[in-house]
Amino acid sequence: MIHLALPYLLVGVLFGCGLYATISRRNAVLMLVGVELILAAAGLLLVTTSMVLRQSAGQVVTLFLITIAAAEIAVALALVSAVFRSRGTVDLDTRAEEDRS
């Protein structure tokens, strides 16, 4: 059995990278990638915890999490695609700069 520090360290790295990508990016697609990294970290944490507790509830919840993440990315990419068609860019600060002028 692997040591528990390794999966928890990976969860921390995934969550940190996802949080950084979500906060620091202006591009909507890269923000979605950050949200997906955060959801992947949550899924890994649930699976690791359910393995330690020897219960299957965490694995079942992870299946729902994967389903929700897939639906979220499909809807979000459709919205980003619509915004790109209307404005020509997916930069989230473009609208704010146009209003100031």
Side-chain angles (χ1 to χ4, degrees), residues 14-15 17 21 27 37-38 41 45-46 51-52 65 71 74-76 78-79 93-96 100-101:
L14 281 174
F15 186 82
C17 290
N27 192 331
L37 282 173
I38 291 172
L45 182 65
L46 284 170
M51 184 189 70
V52 170
L65 180 73
V75 171
L79 288 172
D93 286 340
T94 304
R95 178 80 175 177
R100 289 182 198 146
S101 300

Side-chain angles (χ1 to χ4, degrees), residues 3 7-8 12 14 20 26-27 29 36-38 64 78 85 94:
H3 195 271
Y8 289 145
L14 281 174
Y20 176 74
R26 295 181 191 166
N27 192 331
V29 175
E36 290 299 316
L37 282 173
I38 291 172
F64 286 116
R85 273 188 252 142
T94 304

